[in-house]
């Protein structure tokens, strides 16, 4: 019997979405679902959620929950990771401390200073998780949803090359979905392929019945000036290919957008947006807990299997072939990005697992922009590998958003403040101050 383990199952709404997609497959109706979280209250809500989803969908899944991670992992075929190390409090620090220095972020979980410190908090957890998997389920596939995706996938390839792992994000799928709506064509039957790095892949192919859909998109943008006041549209105009992450996310990865109040207003950006998103997530958790306690039905989405993890599980269990977009180490996949970096590419999935597609070269301008992002990730991974705290500051220093706003001295001081704020959630060698000047 197939066993799927959810790590960080207390992310109750996402757990519900994944389970709904998973248990809607008749072939997976009798899986074993193991839930793990370190918060007993959240774990109890996750368990209640899973049992209700199972019952309402008429599935026959076996639901188990455990505060013991290794026990939950034992005998697993698939492991889904969605933890947030440091929780909402860690996210608040990643956003608010830089803001005090004048450095604006919107989400702060992928690149830049927020991504670097979230990565440094997450790496030790990933090392421990894969050690547990090595002991009790060495052949399982680890599917990572936790950000910073590119850094985490890179780190997994360094510390656990023997554990099969892949990074999953829905940004490519939803970009294609939303663009099809914008130009008035159904997604079904559309051919699209993207490649690059997570949250900054590029829509390289997009067509339907042999028609390239990019001309339709350009015409729609020309006809609606308000569309031109969005970050992704500006990137599309300058690079020639549409990026696969939201404007809010994308604004953080370049130097063009968050550097001044004028640019923020022009492109309709909302700094610190993730604080509101985090608060909404807490509200959704409380709503789920209230509904379960009163015996009220939870809301189940009905947009089909939109998340990749259930699709991967179904394909590997049944042999059904699909193509998805996923994050994997760059081993001969994209020639103009560094070897070993985590890249996002199309992958064929079937009973044999995932087979990434070779892309060759990205468009020159797209690869150049991706390399800025990859450099931040590379330095963060190296900092954790070597224990060198200077590399942490250098990772932030090469980030386009940070360097467009702050001086090197300010970046050093800001990182010192973040080290103090996150404390023992960081690897021990990195919990030190680095002087910001020669003196």
């Amino acid at each position: 019997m197939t066993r799927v383990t959810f790590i960080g199952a207390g992310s109750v709404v996402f757990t519900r979405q994944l389970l709904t997609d998973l248990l809607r497959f008749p072939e997976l109706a009798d899986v074993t679902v193991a839930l793990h979280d370190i918060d007993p209250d959240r774990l109890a809500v996750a368990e209640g959620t899973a049992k209700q989803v199972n019952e309402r969908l008429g599935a026959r899944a076996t639901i188990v929950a455990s505060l013991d991670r290794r026990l939950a992992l034992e005998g697993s075929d698939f492991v889904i990771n969605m933890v947030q190390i440091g929780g909402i409090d860690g996210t608040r620090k990643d956003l608010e401390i830089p803001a005090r220095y004048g450095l604006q972020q919107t989400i702060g979980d992928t690149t830049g200073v927020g991504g670097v410190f979230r990565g440094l908090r997450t790496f030790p957890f990933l090392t421990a998780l894969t050690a547990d998997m090595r002991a009790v389920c060495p052949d399982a596939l680890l599917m990572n949803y936790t950000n910073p995706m590119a850094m985490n996938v890179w780190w997994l390839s360094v510390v656990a090359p023997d554990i099969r792992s892949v990074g999953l994000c829905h940004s490519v799928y939803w970009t294609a979905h939303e663009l099809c709506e914008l130009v008035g064509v159904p997604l079904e039957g559309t051919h699209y392929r993207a490649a690059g790095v997570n949250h900054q892949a590029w829509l390289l192919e997009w067509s339907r019945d042999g028609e390239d859909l990019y001309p339709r998109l350009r015409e729609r943008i020309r006809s609606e000036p308000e569309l031109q006041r969005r970050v992704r549209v500006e990137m599309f105009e300058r690079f020639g290919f549409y990026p696969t992450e939201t404007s809010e996310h994308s604004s953080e990865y370049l130097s063009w957008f968050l550097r001044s109040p004028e640019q923020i207003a022009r492109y309709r950006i909302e700094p610190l947006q993730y604080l509101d998103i985090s608060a909404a997530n807490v509200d959704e958790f409380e709503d789920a807990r209230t509904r379960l306690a009163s015996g009220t039905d939870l809301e189940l989405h009905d947009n089909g299997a939109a998340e990749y993890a259930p699709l991967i599980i179904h394909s590997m269990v049944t042999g059904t072939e699909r193509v998805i977009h996923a994050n994997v180490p760059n081993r001969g996949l994209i020639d103009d990005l560094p070897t070993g970096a985590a890249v996002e590419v199309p992958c064929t999935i079937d009973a044999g697992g995932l087979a990434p597609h070779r892309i060759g070269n990205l468009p020159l301008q797209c690869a150049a922009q991706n390399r800025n992002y990859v450099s931040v990730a590379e330095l963060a991974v190296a900092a954790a590998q070597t224990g060198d705290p200077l590399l942490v500051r250098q990772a932030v220093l090469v980030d386009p958003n940070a360097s467009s706003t702050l001086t090197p001295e300010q970046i050093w001081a800001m990182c010192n403040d973040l080290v103090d704020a996150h404390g023992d959630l960081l690897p021990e060698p990195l919990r030190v101050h680095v002087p910001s000047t020669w003196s």
Side-chain angles (χ1 to χ4, degrees):
M1 184 178 295
T2 301
R3 182 179 176 98
V4 183
T5 298
F6 288 68
I7 303 296
S11 301
V12 168
V13 176
F14 195 37
T15 294
R16 184 198 316 166
Q17 292 170 344
L18 291 173
L19 281 170
T20 300
D21 285 350
L22 187 72
L23 297 181
R24 277 184 171 146
F25 286 116
E27 301 90 340
L28 301 177
D30 61 352
V31 298
T32 295
V33 174
L35 306 170
H36 165 72
D37 203 278
I38 61 173
D39 184 321
D41 189 27
R42 283 188 166 271
L43 184 60
V45 174
E47 183 178 13
T49 296
K51 289 179 177 179
Q52 187 184 117
V53 171
N54 187 40
E55 180 179 351
R56 287 173 60 190
L57 295 182
R60 304 174 302 279
T62 301
I63 310 295
V64 297
S66 178
L67 293 167
D68 184 321
R69 184 174 66 207
R70 186 170 288 200
L71 184 62
L73 287 168
E74 191 165 355
S76 294
D77 301 290
F78 301 95
V79 177
I80 300 174
N81 174 49
M82 46 191 175
V83 302
Q84 183 181 357
I85 303 300
I88 293 173
D89 184 55
T91 296
R92 187 176 293 110
K93 293 170 182 175
D94 287 340
L95 292 169
E96 291 181 344
I97 291 173
R100 292 203 292 265
Y101 283 83
L103 176 58
Q104 297 290 359
Q105 300 170 91
T106 52
I107 310 297
D109 71 348
T110 299
T111 190
V113 63
V116 167
F117 276 88
R118 181 181 282 228
L120 295 175
R121 297 195 303 274
T122 307
F123 295 162
F125 164 80
L126 292 175
T127 302
L129 173 63
T130 51
D132 282 349
M133 290 180 63
R134 192 175 293 115
V136 299
C137 57
D139 296 325
L141 174 65
L142 172 59
M143 294 177 281
N144 177 69
Y145 276 101
T146 294
N147 285 319
M149 181 64 69
M151 296 184 200
N152 288 340
V153 170
W154 200 334
W155 181 256
L156 285 167
S157 73
V158 169
V159 300
D162 55 317
I163 299 295
R164 292 187 301 165
S165 62
V166 63
L168 302 179
C169 176
H170 44 230
S171 61
V172 174
Y173 171 85
W174 285 113
T175 294
H177 183 276
E178 291 160 6
L179 289 181
C180 284
E181 284 190 348
L182 193 62
V183 301
V185 301
L187 179 66
E188 186 178 357
T190 300
H191 170 81
Y192 61 93
R193 294 291 181 268
V197 290
N198 179 242
H199 289 176
Q200 200 177 78
W202 309 92
L203 195 63
L204 302 179
E205 302 173 27
W206 181 41
S207 64
R208 195 169 194 277
D209 297 329
E211 177 194 357
D212 178 7
L213 295 174
Y214 265 141
R216 289 199 191 196
L217 178 61
R218 290 187 175 94
E219 183 57 34
R220 180 67 190 272
I221 291 169
R222 289 189 192 101
S223 69
E224 294 193 29
E226 278 301 290
L227 285 177
Q228 299 166 24
R229 295 179 55 220
R230 298 301 290 143
V231 167
R232 283 206 283 183
V233 172
E234 181 73 9
M235 293 174 67
F236 175 41
E237 180 178 6
R238 305 306 173 184
F239 288 109
F241 295 89
Y242 205 81
T244 60
E245 188 45 71
T246 64
S247 287
E248 287 68 32
H249 258 298
S250 294
S251 68
E252 299 179 304
Y253 312 150
L254 297 94
S255 60
W256 315 346
F257 299 109
L258 291 166
R259 62 195 303 167
S260 70
E262 292 77 18
Q263 287 290 84
I264 290 170
R266 177 182 176 183
Y267 292 101
R268 296 181 287 163
I269 304 168
E270 182 186 343
L272 307 181
Q273 185 184 67
Y274 200 51
L275 295 179
D276 289 338
I277 294 172
S278 296
N281 289 340
V282 172
D283 291 342
E284 288 181 331
F285 168 77
E286 293 298 339
D287 178 69
R289 177 161 57 182
T290 299
R291 285 173 180 257
L292 289 170
S294 64
T296 305
D297 284 352
L298 299 167
E299 293 184 11
L300 303 184
H301 69 86
D302 57 2
N303 58 358
E307 291 295 343
Y308 286 146
L311 296 178
I312 291 173
I313 295 168
H314 183 262
S315 285
M316 291 181 65
V317 170
T318 67
T320 303
E321 184 176 298
R322 293 182 171 90
V323 175
I324 66 167
H325 288 77
N327 296 272
V328 294
N330 188 23
R331 309 293 185 199
L333 302 175
I334 300 181
D335 293 338
D336 44 5
L337 292 182
T339 296
V343 293
E344 192 162 53
V345 296
C347 297
T348 298
I349 48 172
D350 56 23
L354 281 87
H357 296 192
R358 173 171 163 74
I359 301 301
N361 286 320
L362 292 174
L364 188 62
Q365 69 278 19
C366 297
Q369 183 57 53
N370 283 164
R371 283 194 289 267
N372 290 331
Y373 182 3
V374 169
S375 293
V376 176
E378 183 176 27
L379 285 162
V381 169
Q385 277 184 280
T386 63
D388 185 349
L390 182 58
L391 289 171
V392 176
R393 281 77 182 165
Q394 291 166 340
V396 180
L397 183 66
V398 303
D399 170 59
N401 183 38
S403 61
S404 73
T405 306
L406 303 182
T407 66
E409 291 83 1
Q410 288 174 315
I411 288 173
W412 259 239
M414 175 182 64
C415 288
N416 288 340
D417 286 352
L418 283 162
V419 163
D420 290 342
H422 291 304
D424 60 8
L425 290 178
L426 300 175
E428 193 277 332
L430 303 181
R431 302 175 202 163
V432 297
H433 282 206
V434 176
S436 61
T437 66
W438 288 103
S439 58

